[in-house]
Amino acid sequence: QLQLVESGGGLVQPGGSLRLSCAASRFTLGYYAIGWFRQAPGKEREGISCITSSGGSTAYALSVEGRFTISRDNAKDTVYLQMNSLKPEDTAVYYCAAVITVQHMCLMRSLDDYWGQGTQVTVSS
């Protein structure tokens, strides 16, 4: 199991910003492509964004493209999700996970289907 720890969630007003962080527990995160996922109450988990191990390629869901930015700092062994222009529909628990790569492109599909506790993001006025 690849155990990851998410942090940075909280309560923010519509139009605000948050920066989420993803860190590894007892392994080197920099060896893996990493994806961010979210799950809202009553809805299925959906992929939001992913980044390759080198950081050379990224992908975004249409629902967040242009508002969210994924990045990584392998020196700090951390992956980030910068979320701007937040909307109420962004409210969800956010998770990070190691994901699949195909032809040097990351896919929003986890390697082992292990999910931690995530971090809660609430967008409300």
Side-chain angles (χ1 to χ4, degrees):
Q1 294 181 347
L2 302 177
Q3 298 184 10
L4 305 180
V5 179
E6 303 91 346
S7 63
L11 175 64
V12 65
Q13 294 183 334
S17 298
L18 285 172
R19 188 193 193 195
L20 306 184
S21 297
C22 175
S25 177
R26 299 186 180 276
F27 70 94
T28 301
L29 191 63
Y31 292 152
Y32 300 90
I34 299 295
W36 283 97
F37 302 78
R38 67 186 182 187
Q39 187 166 25
K43 297 183 179 180
E44 295 183 355
R45 185 183 298 109
E46 61 176 338
I48 299 302
S49 184
C50 63
I51 187 168
T52 54
S53 60
S54 68
S57 182
T58 60
Y60 299 91
L62 291 176
S63 59
V64 306
E65 191 171 33
R67 299 188 297 119
F68 292 8
T69 302
I70 191 170
S71 63
R72 69 192 306 159
D73 185 343
N74 284 349
K76 297 181 178 179
D77 209 29
T78 303
V79 175
Y80 304 99
L81 184 68
Q82 178 67 46
M83 306 187 297
N84 298 326
S85 302
L86 284 162
K87 304 174 181 179
E89 52 262 44
D90 295 319
T91 296
V93 178
Y94 284 70
Y95 306 87
C96 59
V99 298
I100 294 167
T101 58
V102 176
Q103 296 182 333
H104 305 288
M105 300 288 107
C106 60
L107 301 178
M108 296 176 221
R109 302 183 188 276
S110 66
L111 291 178
D112 61 5
D113 203 34
Y114 171 82
W115 304 98
Q117 293 187 338
T119 185
Q120 176 72 50
V121 172
T122 302
V123 184
S124 177
S125 59

Tab-separated table of all heavy atoms in Angstrom, residues 61-125:
chain	number	residue	atom	x	y	z
A	61	ALA	N	-9.355	17.583	-15.164
A	61	ALA	CA	-10.750	17.409	-15.525
A	61	ALA	C	-11.306	18.733	-16.044
A	61	ALA	O	-10.876	19.812	-15.625
A	61	ALA	CB	-11.556	16.944	-14.316
A	62	LEU	N	-12.273	18.646	-16.953
A	62	LEU	CA	-12.857	19.855	-17.517
A	62	LEU	C	-13.473	20.752	-16.447
A	62	LEU	O	-13.470	21.979	-16.582
A	62	LEU	CB	-13.907	19.496	-18.566
A	62	LEU	CG	-13.384	18.869	-19.862
A	62	LEU	CD1	-14.552	18.483	-20.758
A	62	LEU	CD2	-12.445	19.821	-20.588
A	63	SER	N	-13.974	20.151	-15.379
A	63	SER	CA	-14.638	20.906	-14.340
A	63	SER	C	-13.703	21.834	-13.572
A	63	SER	O	-14.163	22.797	-12.946
A	63	SER	CB	-15.338	19.961	-13.359
A	63	SER	OG	-14.408	19.067	-12.774
A	64	VAL	N	-12.395	21.560	-13.609
A	64	VAL	CA	-11.442	22.374	-12.862
A	64	VAL	C	-10.387	23.020	-13.744
A	64	VAL	O	-9.612	23.862	-13.259
A	64	VAL	CB	-10.742	21.560	-11.754
A	64	VAL	CG1	-11.772	20.892	-10.853
A	64	VAL	CG2	-9.794	20.527	-12.348
A	65	GLU	N	-10.339	22.674	-14.997
A	65	GLU	CA	-9.321	23.211	-15.910
A	65	GLU	C	-9.394	24.735	-15.956
A	65	GLU	O	-10.460	25.313	-16.099
A	65	GLU	CB	-9.506	22.624	-17.305
A	65	GLU	CG	-8.356	22.904	-18.255
A	65	GLU	CD	-8.488	22.133	-19.550
A	65	GLU	OE1	-9.632	21.903	-19.992
A	65	GLU	OE2	-7.448	21.741	-20.122
A	66	GLY	N	-8.247	25.353	-15.820
A	66	GLY	CA	-8.173	26.803	-15.810
A	66	GLY	C	-8.283	27.413	-14.432
A	66	GLY	O	-7.962	28.599	-14.254
A	67	ARG	N	-8.728	26.642	-13.455
A	67	ARG	CA	-8.853	27.125	-12.078
A	67	ARG	C	-7.872	26.453	-11.129
A	67	ARG	O	-7.389	27.081	-10.185
A	67	ARG	CB	-10.277	26.911	-11.559
A	67	ARG	CG	-11.336	27.650	-12.361
A	67	ARG	CD	-12.701	27.560	-11.689
A	67	ARG	NE	-13.185	26.180	-11.624
A	67	ARG	CZ	-13.454	25.537	-10.487
A	67	ARG	NH1	-13.306	26.138	-9.316
A	67	ARG	NH2	-13.903	24.278	-10.520
A	68	PHE	N	-7.593	25.173	-11.356
A	68	PHE	CA	-6.705	24.412	-10.482
A	68	PHE	C	-5.374	24.172	-11.189
A	68	PHE	O	-5.316	24.029	-12.415
A	68	PHE	CB	-7.310	23.051	-10.131
A	68	PHE	CG	-8.527	23.097	-9.251
A	68	PHE	CD1	-9.159	24.287	-8.933
A	68	PHE	CD2	-9.036	21.918	-8.733
A	68	PHE	CE1	-10.286	24.314	-8.118
A	68	PHE	CE2	-10.163	21.933	-7.919
A	68	PHE	CZ	-10.785	23.134	-7.614
A	69	THR	N	-4.302	24.089	-10.404
A	69	THR	CA	-2.984	23.801	-10.932
A	69	THR	C	-2.301	22.762	-10.054
A	69	THR	O	-2.173	22.953	-8.842
A	69	THR	CB	-2.108	25.061	-10.994
A	69	THR	OG1	-2.739	26.058	-11.795
A	69	THR	CG2	-0.748	24.729	-11.607
A	70	ILE	N	-1.857	21.670	-10.669
A	70	ILE	CA	-1.115	20.654	-9.949
A	70	ILE	C	0.380	20.876	-10.172
A	70	ILE	O	0.799	21.271	-11.254
A	70	ILE	CB	-1.538	19.231	-10.390
A	70	ILE	CG1	-0.969	18.177	-9.443
A	70	ILE	CG2	-1.140	18.946	-11.831
A	70	ILE	CD1	-1.553	16.782	-9.672
A	71	SER	N	1.166	20.639	-9.145
A	71	SER	CA	2.607	20.794	-9.250
A	71	SER	C	3.276	19.870	-8.240
A	71	SER	O	2.617	19.297	-7.373
A	71	SER	CB	3.028	22.252	-9.018
A	71	SER	OG	2.702	22.671	-7.701
A	72	ARG	N	4.581	19.731	-8.375
A	72	ARG	CA	5.309	18.928	-7.393
A	72	ARG	C	6.690	19.500	-7.169
A	72	ARG	O	7.288	20.114	-8.054
A	72	ARG	CB	5.371	17.456	-7.821
A	72	ARG	CG	6.233	17.143	-9.019
A	72	ARG	CD	5.968	15.713	-9.514
A	72	ARG	NE	6.116	14.738	-8.441
A	72	ARG	CZ	5.575	13.517	-8.459
A	72	ARG	NH1	4.837	13.127	-9.491
A	72	ARG	NH2	5.763	12.691	-7.436
A	73	ASP	N	7.186	19.277	-5.968
A	73	ASP	CA	8.535	19.653	-5.591
A	73	ASP	C	9.193	18.384	-5.082
A	73	ASP	O	9.028	18.009	-3.922
A	73	ASP	CB	8.522	20.741	-4.518
A	73	ASP	CG	9.910	21.245	-4.177
A	73	ASP	OD1	10.904	20.570	-4.504
A	73	ASP	OD2	10.011	22.333	-3.572
A	74	ASN	N	9.926	17.714	-5.967
A	74	ASN	CA	10.496	16.428	-5.593
A	74	ASN	C	11.608	16.556	-4.554
A	74	ASN	O	11.906	15.599	-3.843
A	74	ASN	CB	10.994	15.689	-6.832
A	74	ASN	CG	9.858	15.084	-7.635
A	74	ASN	OD1	8.715	15.027	-7.180
A	74	ASN	ND2	10.162	14.621	-8.835
A	75	ALA	N	12.226	17.731	-4.451
A	75	ALA	CA	13.210	17.960	-3.401
A	75	ALA	C	12.557	17.902	-2.028
A	75	ALA	O	13.182	17.481	-1.050
A	75	ALA	CB	13.912	19.292	-3.608
A	76	LYS	N	11.298	18.337	-1.947
A	76	LYS	CA	10.532	18.268	-0.708
A	76	LYS	C	9.628	17.046	-0.663
A	76	LYS	O	8.946	16.821	0.336
A	76	LYS	CB	9.695	19.531	-0.534
A	76	LYS	CG	10.510	20.807	-0.395
A	76	LYS	CD	9.612	22.013	-0.191
A	76	LYS	CE	10.438	23.275	-0.003
A	76	LYS	NZ	9.575	24.476	0.187
A	77	ASP	N	9.613	16.283	-1.766
A	77	ASP	CA	8.806	15.067	-1.871
A	77	ASP	C	7.340	15.357	-1.581
A	77	ASP	O	6.675	14.633	-0.828
A	77	ASP	CB	9.335	13.971	-0.943
A	77	ASP	CG	9.051	12.573	-1.471
A	77	ASP	OD1	8.971	12.402	-2.695
A	77	ASP	OD2	8.921	11.647	-0.647
A	78	THR	N	6.835	16.407	-2.213
A	78	THR	CA	5.472	16.863	-1.982
A	78	THR	C	4.805	17.207	-3.309
A	78	THR	O	5.445	17.752	-4.207
A	78	THR	CB	5.450	18.095	-1.068
A	78	THR	OG1	6.108	17.783	0.168
A	78	THR	CG2	4.033	18.531	-0.767
A	79	VAL	N	3.520	16.884	-3.430
A	79	VAL	CA	2.692	17.270	-4.564
A	79	VAL	C	1.640	18.253	-4.071
A	79	VAL	O	1.070	18.068	-2.992
A	79	VAL	CB	2.038	16.047	-5.227
A	79	VAL	CG1	1.074	16.478	-6.326
A	79	VAL	CG2	3.105	15.132	-5.809
A	80	TYR	N	1.373	19.279	-4.872
A	80	TYR	CA	0.444	20.331	-4.482
A	80	TYR	C	-0.726	20.423	-5.450
A	80	TYR	O	-0.622	20.057	-6.619
A	80	TYR	CB	1.150	21.690	-4.460
A	80	TYR	CG	2.367	21.740	-3.577
A	80	TYR	CD1	3.642	21.601	-4.117
A	80	TYR	CD2	2.245	21.929	-2.209
A	80	TYR	CE1	4.764	21.646	-3.312
A	80	TYR	CE2	3.364	21.976	-1.399
A	80	TYR	CZ	4.616	21.836	-1.950
A	80	TYR	OH	5.725	21.886	-1.141
A	81	LEU	N	-1.833	20.940	-4.959
A	81	LEU	CA	-2.950	21.310	-5.804
A	81	LEU	C	-3.382	22.715	-5.415
A	81	LEU	O	-3.957	22.914	-4.345
A	81	LEU	CB	-4.123	20.339	-5.655
A	81	LEU	CG	-5.313	20.609	-6.583
A	81	LEU	CD1	-4.924	20.335	-8.037
A	81	LEU	CD2	-6.519	19.766	-6.184
A	82	GLN	N	-3.066	23.678	-6.271
A	82	GLN	CA	-3.492	25.055	-6.057
A	82	GLN	C	-4.883	25.224	-6.637
A	82	GLN	O	-5.089	25.002	-7.834
A	82	GLN	CB	-2.516	26.026	-6.724
A	82	GLN	CG	-2.902	27.497	-6.582
A	82	GLN	CD	-2.823	27.986	-5.153
A	82	GLN	OE1	-1.844	27.722	-4.468
A	82	GLN	NE2	-3.856	28.688	-4.703
A	83	MET	N	-5.834	25.612	-5.817
A	83	MET	CA	-7.219	25.737	-6.223
A	83	MET	C	-7.634	27.202	-6.130
A	83	MET	O	-7.668	27.776	-5.034
A	83	MET	CB	-8.128	24.870	-5.351
A	83	MET	CG	-7.702	23.403	-5.304
A	83	MET	SD	-8.893	22.352	-4.422
A	83	MET	CE	-8.789	23.072	-2.784
A	84	ASN	N	-7.942	27.801	-7.265
A	84	ASN	CA	-8.369	29.189	-7.334
A	84	ASN	C	-9.804	29.263	-7.837
A	84	ASN	O	-10.328	28.319	-8.411
A	84	ASN	CB	-7.448	29.989	-8.264
A	84	ASN	CG	-6.019	30.038	-7.787
A	84	ASN	OD1	-5.743	30.063	-6.590
A	84	ASN	ND2	-5.083	30.077	-8.737
A	85	SER	N	-10.418	30.419	-7.643
A	85	SER	CA	-11.787	30.660	-8.109
A	85	SER	C	-12.726	29.542	-7.681
A	85	SER	O	-13.516	29.021	-8.476
A	85	SER	CB	-11.800	30.829	-9.634
A	85	SER	OG	-10.966	31.897	-10.038
A	86	LEU	N	-12.658	29.181	-6.430
A	86	LEU	CA	-13.431	28.049	-5.929
A	86	LEU	C	-14.929	28.314	-5.983
A	86	LEU	O	-15.391	29.439	-5.761
A	86	LEU	CB	-13.003	27.713	-4.506
A	86	LEU	CG	-11.668	26.973	-4.417
A	86	LEU	CD1	-11.097	27.052	-3.010
A	86	LEU	CD2	-11.853	25.515	-4.841
A	87	LYS	N	-15.673	27.259	-6.286
A	87	LYS	CA	-17.120	27.299	-6.407
A	87	LYS	C	-17.743	26.365	-5.377
A	87	LYS	O	-17.102	25.416	-4.928
A	87	LYS	CB	-17.543	26.851	-7.809
A	87	LYS	CG	-16.911	27.638	-8.944
A	87	LYS	CD	-17.288	27.029	-10.290
A	87	LYS	CE	-16.656	27.783	-11.436
A	87	LYS	NZ	-17.007	27.174	-12.746
A	88	PRO	N	-18.998	26.599	-5.011
A	88	PRO	CA	-19.656	25.685	-4.068
A	88	PRO	C	-19.627	24.231	-4.527
A	88	PRO	O	-19.524	23.333	-3.676
A	88	PRO	CB	-21.089	26.225	-4.008
A	88	PRO	CG	-20.937	27.685	-4.263
A	88	PRO	CD	-19.840	27.778	-5.294
A	89	GLU	N	-19.697	23.983	-5.825
A	89	GLU	CA	-19.664	22.620	-6.323
A	89	GLU	C	-18.301	21.950	-6.183
A	89	GLU	O	-18.169	20.752	-6.445
A	89	GLU	CB	-20.136	22.552	-7.784
A	89	GLU	CG	-19.423	23.518	-8.706
A	89	GLU	CD	-20.210	24.795	-8.941
A	89	GLU	OE1	-20.755	25.350	-7.961
A	89	GLU	OE2	-20.294	25.245	-10.106
A	90	ASP	N	-17.287	22.698	-5.772
A	90	ASP	CA	-15.982	22.115	-5.469
A	90	ASP	C	-15.943	21.495	-4.073
A	90	ASP	O	-14.951	20.854	-3.711
A	90	ASP	CB	-14.876	23.162	-5.579
A	90	ASP	CG	-14.687	23.683	-6.994
A	90	ASP	OD1	-14.739	22.864	-7.944
A	90	ASP	OD2	-14.477	24.899	-7.154
A	91	THR	N	-16.978	21.695	-3.297
A	91	THR	CA	-17.033	21.138	-1.948
A	91	THR	C	-16.969	19.616	-2.004
A	91	THR	O	-17.778	18.972	-2.666
A	91	THR	CB	-18.310	21.586	-1.233
A	91	THR	OG1	-18.287	23.010	-1.066
A	91	THR	CG2	-18.428	20.933	0.136
A	92	ALA	N	-15.996	19.041	-1.309
A	92	ALA	CA	-15.780	17.597	-1.341
A	92	ALA	C	-14.629	17.251	-0.412
A	92	ALA	O	-13.925	18.128	0.088
A	92	ALA	CB	-15.443	17.126	-2.761
A	93	VAL	N	-14.444	15.958	-0.195
A	93	VAL	CA	-13.223	15.465	0.424
A	93	VAL	C	-12.228	15.191	-0.698
A	93	VAL	O	-12.553	14.502	-1.664
A	93	VAL	CB	-13.461	14.193	1.250
A	93	VAL	CG1	-12.148	13.678	1.832
A	93	VAL	CG2	-14.452	14.473	2.370
A	94	TYR	N	-11.031	15.721	-0.571
A	94	TYR	CA	-10.007	15.600	-1.603
A	94	TYR	C	-8.949	14.586	-1.181
A	94	TYR	O	-8.468	14.602	-0.048
A	94	TYR	CB	-9.354	16.956	-1.870
A	94	TYR	CG	-10.229	17.876	-2.691
A	94	TYR	CD1	-11.389	18.419	-2.156
A	94	TYR	CD2	-9.907	18.179	-4.016
A	94	TYR	CE1	-12.207	19.242	-2.915
A	94	TYR	CE2	-10.715	19.004	-4.771
A	94	TYR	CZ	-11.869	19.537	-4.217
A	94	TYR	OH	-12.677	20.356	-4.974
A	95	TYR	N	-8.584	13.717	-2.119
A	95	TYR	CA	-7.613	12.661	-1.891
A	95	TYR	C	-6.503	12.728	-2.928
A	95	TYR	O	-6.731	13.149	-4.059
A	95	TYR	CB	-8.256	11.278	-2.013
A	95	TYR	CG	-9.464	11.037	-1.147
A	95	TYR	CD1	-10.738	11.381	-1.580
A	95	TYR	CD2	-9.326	10.437	0.098
A	95	TYR	CE1	-11.851	11.141	-0.793
A	95	TYR	CE2	-10.437	10.192	0.889
A	95	TYR	CZ	-11.700	10.546	0.436
A	95	TYR	OH	-12.794	10.296	1.220
A	96	CYS	N	-5.324	12.278	-2.553
A	96	CYS	CA	-4.266	12.060	-3.528
A	96	CYS	C	-3.903	10.577	-3.536
A	96	CYS	O	-4.108	9.864	-2.551
A	96	CYS	CB	-3.032	12.924	-3.263
A	96	CYS	SG	-2.241	12.691	-1.659
A	97	ALA	N	-3.401	10.109	-4.676
A	97	ALA	CA	-3.040	8.710	-4.824
A	97	ALA	C	-2.043	8.557	-5.957
A	97	ALA	O	-2.032	9.361	-6.895
A	97	ALA	CB	-4.277	7.862	-5.112
A	98	ALA	N	-1.207	7.522	-5.876
A	98	ALA	CA	-0.361	7.175	-7.008
A	98	ALA	C	-1.242	6.693	-8.148
A	98	ALA	O	-2.202	5.952	-7.932
A	98	ALA	CB	0.639	6.092	-6.613
A	99	VAL	N	-0.923	7.117	-9.378
A	99	VAL	CA	-1.765	6.801	-10.525
A	99	VAL	C	-0.951	6.187	-11.653
A	99	VAL	O	0.280	6.199	-11.651
A	99	VAL	CB	-2.513	8.050	-11.044
A	99	VAL	CG1	-3.438	8.608	-9.972
A	99	VAL	CG2	-1.536	9.122	-11.526
A	100	ILE	N	-1.682	5.678	-12.638
A	100	ILE	CA	-1.108	4.993	-13.791
A	100	ILE	C	-0.534	5.995	-14.786
A	100	ILE	O	-1.059	7.102	-14.940
A	100	ILE	CB	-2.198	4.133	-14.467
A	100	ILE	CG1	-2.630	3.007	-13.534
A	100	ILE	CG2	-1.743	3.586	-15.803
A	100	ILE	CD1	-3.894	2.312	-13.979
A	101	THR	N	0.527	5.587	-15.460
A	101	THR	CA	1.033	6.344	-16.600
A	101	THR	C	0.987	5.476	-17.847
A	101	THR	O	1.292	4.286	-17.794
A	101	THR	CB	2.465	6.848	-16.376
A	101	THR	OG1	3.331	5.745	-16.107
A	101	THR	CG2	2.512	7.834	-15.218
A	102	VAL	N	0.610	6.060	-18.965
A	102	VAL	CA	0.578	5.391	-20.262
A	102	VAL	C	1.202	6.333	-21.277
A	102	VAL	O	0.755	7.478	-21.416
A	102	VAL	CB	-0.852	5.034	-20.692
A	102	VAL	CG1	-0.851	4.433	-22.093
A	102	VAL	CG2	-1.482	4.067	-19.705
A	103	GLN	N	2.231	5.858	-21.971
A	103	GLN	CA	2.937	6.675	-22.966
A	103	GLN	C	3.338	8.031	-22.378
A	103	GLN	O	3.157	9.077	-23.009
A	103	GLN	CB	2.083	6.843	-24.220
A	103	GLN	CG	1.817	5.532	-24.943
A	103	GLN	CD	1.004	5.706	-26.214
A	103	GLN	OE1	0.223	6.635	-26.351
A	103	GLN	NE2	1.195	4.783	-27.157
A	104	HIS	N	3.854	7.995	-21.174
A	104	HIS	CA	4.346	9.169	-20.462
A	104	HIS	C	3.255	10.172	-20.105
A	104	HIS	O	3.555	11.322	-19.763
A	104	HIS	CB	5.463	9.855	-21.247
A	104	HIS	CG	6.597	8.952	-21.595
A	104	HIS	ND1	7.502	8.501	-20.654
A	104	HIS	CD2	6.962	8.386	-22.773
A	104	HIS	CE1	8.381	7.699	-21.236
A	104	HIS	NE2	8.077	7.616	-22.512
A	105	MET	N	2.012	9.738	-20.159
A	105	MET	CA	0.889	10.561	-19.751
A	105	MET	C	0.269	9.937	-18.500
A	105	MET	O	0.112	8.725	-18.421
A	105	MET	CB	-0.170	10.643	-20.850
A	105	MET	CG	0.308	11.245	-22.165
A	105	MET	SD	0.583	13.041	-22.070
A	105	MET	CE	2.382	13.092	-22.086
A	106	CYS	N	-0.067	10.766	-17.538
A	106	CYS	CA	-0.727	10.233	-16.355
A	106	CYS	C	-2.216	10.068	-16.610
A	106	CYS	O	-2.824	10.824	-17.368
A	106	CYS	CB	-0.490	11.134	-15.139
A	106	CYS	SG	-1.095	12.829	-15.304
A	107	LEU	N	-2.782	9.052	-15.970
A	107	LEU	CA	-4.214	8.803	-16.025
A	107	LEU	C	-4.778	8.881	-14.613
A	107	LEU	O	-4.117	8.501	-13.653
A	107	LEU	CB	-4.518	7.434	-16.623
A	107	LEU	CG	-4.002	7.163	-18.038
A	107	LEU	CD1	-4.354	5.742	-18.459
A	107	LEU	CD2	-4.571	8.165	-19.028
A	108	MET	N	-5.999	9.361	-14.504
A	108	MET	CA	-6.600	9.510	-13.193
A	108	MET	C	-7.220	8.197	-12.721
A	108	MET	O	-8.425	8.091	-12.492
A	108	MET	CB	-7.619	10.652	-13.219
A	108	MET	CG	-6.965	12.000	-13.495
A	108	MET	SD	-8.158	13.341	-13.653
A	108	MET	CE	-7.475	14.246	-15.033
A	109	ARG	N	-6.356	7.204	-12.590
A	109	ARG	CA	-6.724	5.878	-12.113
A	109	ARG	C	-5.669	5.426	-11.122
A	109	ARG	O	-4.492	5.346	-11.460
A	109	ARG	CB	-6.830	4.885	-13.274
A	109	ARG	CG	-7.824	5.303	-14.338
A	109	ARG	CD	-7.947	4.256	-15.422
A	109	ARG	NE	-8.759	4.745	-16.530
A	109	ARG	CZ	-10.083	4.693	-16.561
A	109	ARG	NH1	-10.749	4.173	-15.528
A	109	ARG	NH2	-10.739	5.153	-17.611
A	110	SER	N	-6.067	5.126	-9.909
A	110	SER	CA	-5.121	4.788	-8.857
A	110	SER	C	-4.473	3.432	-9.104
A	110	SER	O	-5.052	2.555	-9.755
A	110	SER	CB	-5.800	4.812	-7.489
A	110	SER	OG	-6.779	3.797	-7.396
A	111	LEU	N	-3.274	3.251	-8.553
A	111	LEU	CA	-2.538	2.009	-8.728
A	111	LEU	C	-3.094	0.869	-7.892
A	111	LEU	O	-3.191	-0.265	-8.361
A	111	LEU	CB	-1.066	2.223	-8.377
A	111	LEU	CG	-0.237	3.104	-9.313
A	111	LEU	CD1	1.173	3.243	-8.763
A	111	LEU	CD2	-0.198	2.522	-10.713
A	112	ASP	N	-3.435	1.142	-6.636
A	112	ASP	CA	-3.814	0.079	-5.708
A	112	ASP	C	-5.159	0.270	-5.024
A	112	ASP	O	-5.540	-0.525	-4.173
A	112	ASP	CB	-2.729	-0.103	-4.644
A	112	ASP	CG	-2.498	1.140	-3.806
A	112	ASP	OD1	-3.227	2.129	-3.961
A	112	ASP	OD2	-1.567	1.112	-2.969
A	113	ASP	N	-5.890	1.294	-5.362
A	113	ASP	CA	-7.215	1.578	-4.821
A	113	ASP	C	-7.202	1.764	-3.307
A	113	ASP	O	-8.201	1.508	-2.635
A	113	ASP	CB	-8.212	0.473	-5.202
A	113	ASP	CG	-9.650	0.957	-5.166
A	113	ASP	OD1	-9.898	2.133	-5.492
A	113	ASP	OD2	-10.540	0.152	-4.808
A	114	TYR	N	-6.066	2.213	-2.784
A	114	TYR	CA	-5.994	2.560	-1.368
A	114	TYR	C	-6.297	4.039	-1.205
A	114	TYR	O	-5.719	4.884	-1.899
A	114	TYR	CB	-4.610	2.258	-0.789
A	114	TYR	CG	-4.425	2.801	0.601
A	114	TYR	CD1	-4.904	2.092	1.703
A	114	TYR	CD2	-3.809	4.025	0.816
A	114	TYR	CE1	-4.764	2.596	2.984
A	114	TYR	CE2	-3.667	4.536	2.095
A	114	TYR	CZ	-4.143	3.822	3.173
A	114	TYR	OH	-4.002	4.317	4.446
A	115	TRP	N	-7.187	4.340	-0.279
A	115	TRP	CA	-7.578	5.726	-0.024
A	115	TRP	C	-7.431	6.046	1.452
A	115	TRP	O	-7.898	5.296	2.307
A	115	TRP	CB	-9.022	5.972	-0.479
A	115	TRP	CG	-9.235	5.625	-1.915
A	115	TRP	CD1	-9.758	4.476	-2.419
A	115	TRP	CD2	-8.876	6.442	-3.041
A	115	TRP	NE1	-9.761	4.518	-3.790
A	115	TRP	CE2	-9.229	5.708	-4.202
A	115	TRP	CE3	-8.302	7.701	-3.184
A	115	TRP	CZ2	-9.023	6.208	-5.490
A	115	TRP	CZ3	-8.092	8.201	-4.464
A	115	TRP	CH2	-8.459	7.457	-5.589
A	116	GLY	N	-6.789	7.169	1.729
A	116	GLY	CA	-6.659	7.629	3.093
A	116	GLY	C	-7.882	8.403	3.532
A	116	GLY	O	-8.976	8.249	2.972
A	117	GLN	N	-7.704	9.258	4.524
A	117	GLN	CA	-8.833	10.025	5.055
A	117	GLN	C	-9.143	11.273	4.239
A	117	GLN	O	-10.238	11.820	4.342
A	117	GLN	CB	-8.571	10.396	6.505
A	117	GLN	CG	-8.559	9.198	7.439
A	117	GLN	CD	-8.477	9.599	8.894
A	117	GLN	OE1	-8.025	10.696	9.234
A	117	GLN	NE2	-8.919	8.710	9.761
A	118	GLY	N	-8.200	11.726	3.437
A	118	GLY	CA	-8.412	12.910	2.629
A	118	GLY	C	-8.432	14.184	3.461
A	118	GLY	O	-8.217	14.169	4.669
A	119	THR	N	-8.714	15.295	2.778
A	119	THR	CA	-8.845	16.577	3.453
A	119	THR	C	-10.106	17.269	2.950
A	119	THR	O	-10.378	17.296	1.751
A	119	THR	CB	-7.588	17.450	3.242
A	119	THR	OG1	-7.688	18.648	4.018
A	119	THR	CG2	-7.373	17.814	1.777
A	120	GLN	N	-10.891	17.798	3.867
A	120	GLN	CA	-12.185	18.387	3.533
A	120	GLN	C	-12.018	19.802	2.996
A	120	GLN	O	-11.354	20.638	3.610
A	120	GLN	CB	-13.080	18.420	4.773
A	120	GLN	CG	-14.425	19.108	4.557
A	120	GLN	CD	-15.362	18.304	3.706
A	120	GLN	OE1	-15.563	17.113	3.955
A	120	GLN	NE2	-15.940	18.930	2.682
A	121	VAL	N	-12.648	20.059	1.857
A	121	VAL	CA	-12.731	21.402	1.286
A	121	VAL	C	-14.198	21.794	1.242
A	121	VAL	O	-15.010	21.092	0.647
A	121	VAL	CB	-12.122	21.468	-0.125
A	121	VAL	CG1	-12.388	22.820	-0.778
A	121	VAL	CG2	-10.624	21.187	-0.065
A	122	THR	N	-14.525	22.899	1.874
A	122	THR	CA	-15.895	23.400	1.887
A	122	THR	C	-15.906	24.814	1.336
A	122	THR	O	-15.218	25.690	1.865
A	122	THR	CB	-16.481	23.379	3.299
A	122	THR	OG1	-16.437	22.047	3.824
A	122	THR	CG2	-17.929	23.861	3.283
A	123	VAL	N	-16.689	25.035	0.286
A	123	VAL	CA	-16.808	26.344	-0.344
A	123	VAL	C	-18.228	26.836	-0.098
A	123	VAL	O	-19.183	26.284	-0.640
A	123	VAL	CB	-16.508	26.286	-1.846
A	123	VAL	CG1	-16.537	27.691	-2.443
A	123	VAL	CG2	-15.157	25.629	-2.093
A	124	SER	N	-18.352	27.850	0.716
A	124	SER	CA	-19.671	28.319	1.117
A	124	SER	C	-19.596	29.769	1.569
A	124	SER	O	-18.597	30.213	2.134
A	124	SER	CB	-20.215	27.460	2.260
A	124	SER	OG	-21.464	27.948	2.715
A	125	SER	N	-20.673	30.499	1.317
A	125	SER	CA	-20.792	31.863	1.788
A	125	SER	C	-21.588	31.947	3.079
A	125	SER	O	-21.749	33.014	3.650
A	125	SER	CB	-21.453	32.745	0.720
A	125	SER	OG	-22.740	32.261	0.394
